[in-house]
Amino acid sequence: MSLKLYGYWRSSASYRLRIAMYLKQLDFDYVPVHLVKDGGQHRSHAYSSINPSMLVPTFVDDDEDIVLNQSLAIIEYLDDKYPNTPALLPTHALDKARVRALSQDIACDLQPVTNLRILQSLKSDFEASSEQTETWCVKWIEQGFSALEKRLVTRSGKYCFGYDITLADVCLIPQVYNALRFRVNMQRFPLIQKIYDNCNELEAFQKAKPEAQSDAA
């Protein structure tokens, strides 16, 4: 199989890409890169030679000798290459910008501050306890969700942007998964919860769930 996805079962960015690839019904090999075992397999020479940033995911197309990192860039590449299976960005320029903005609110502003390497640094460099790191995550997730919930009042239908699945949904669902892990009170965010429930009725989202991956532990 020429398409490979190097990822970690609980990585939000890997989760996004799994959703997108399953939505587009692409055949691919999932190559686990465990971020905790063996001191972090992403730090190995074998993986760092593919992705020098030592982050997941990495997308590889052996047939075309393509290696890409950064989940949003990879998803937009796949959306351009496979535009009708389904398209994850609207065609209208303003709608496209709005979907990208929702996606980046999550993937660029919210998710990075709750990333595993940040939490590890809080513990190792600043001696934060598990309780303190969880408080950190809840603070930033709630702040991000409060703003997102307000945006969704005028943007959402069944999903984040009307009644079609878009890149915004692909980004949102992994972040809600994280929120539930950290016991965020989702009753405060009914629109986000509704979209999360609607998306998870779809097969692609079910197949992409962290617990469904071969490296889940």
Side-chain angles (χ1 to χ4, degrees), residues 24 27 42 44 90 116 128 130 135 137 140 155 161 175 178 217:
K24 290 185 171 293
D27 291 326
H42 56 299
S44 69
L116 176 62
S130 295
T135 299
C137 289
W140 293 114
R155 297 281 179 262
F161 198 78
Q175 194 58 54
N178 281 342

Side-chain angles (χ1 to χ4, degrees), residues 10-196:
R10 212 157 61 181
S11 154
S12 296
S14 299
Y15 192 174
R16 288 175 210 138
L17 192 48
R18 291 196 302 266
I19 293 169
M21 294 181 79
Y22 283 128
L23 282 169
K24 290 185 171 293
Q25 301 180 37
L26 299 177
D27 291 326
F28 65 95
D29 281 328
Y30 176 66
V31 184
V33 180
H34 206 288
L35 301 186
V36 179
K37 288 180 180 177
D38 306 321
Q41 294 172 355
H42 56 299
R43 297 188 177 96
S44 69
H45 174 73
Y47 185 69
S48 64
S49 65
I50 299 170
N51 187 340
S53 67
M54 294 184 285
L55 297 172
V56 291
T58 302
F59 169 83
V60 174
D61 185 341
D62 285 332
D63 283 350
E64 298 190 28
D65 196 25
I66 292 171
V67 179
L68 294 173
N69 69 309
Q70 291 294 349
S71 62
L72 296 189
I74 299 166
I75 292 168
E76 290 212 32
Y77 165 77
L78 294 174
D79 212 38
D80 287 338
K81 187 167 183 179
Y82 307 99
N84 299 313
T85 56
L88 296 176
L89 285 168
T91 55
H92 189 277
L94 181 57
D95 288 346
K96 185 180 293 185
R98 285 172 171 159
V99 168
R100 281 181 171 143
L102 289 170
S103 305
Q104 291 173 20
D105 280 339
I106 300 163
C108 300
D109 290 343
L110 171 53
Q111 187 270 330
V113 294
T114 60
N115 187 279
L116 176 62
R117 64 176 178 169
I118 299 299
L119 304 187
Q120 289 175 332
S121 180
L122 288 173
K123 290 180 178 180
S124 63
D125 299 340
F126 300 98
E127 300 181 351
S129 66
S130 295
E131 183 179 90
Q132 287 171 321
T133 57
E134 183 169 313
T135 299
W136 166 278
C137 289
V138 170
K139 171 187 175 178
W140 293 114
I141 292 171
E142 288 184 342
Q143 182 172 308
F145 276 9
S146 293
L148 186 63
E149 184 82 6
K150 292 174 184 176
R151 296 189 197 282
L152 291 173
V153 169
T154 57
R155 297 281 179 262
S156 67
K158 187 173 183 179
Y159 305 113
C160 284
F161 198 78
Y163 291 85
D164 294 316
I165 292 289
T166 66
L167 179 61
D169 303 292
V170 170
C171 291
L172 178 64
I173 272 51
Q175 194 58 54
V176 178
Y177 175 86
N178 281 342
L180 295 172
R181 279 181 59 216
F182 293 113
R183 297 189 289 275
V184 170
N185 179 10
M186 292 302 297
Q187 290 183 352
R188 293 182 53 198
F189 312 109
L191 287 176
I192 292 174
Q193 182 67 58
K194 180 194 74 171
I195 293 164
Y196 180 76

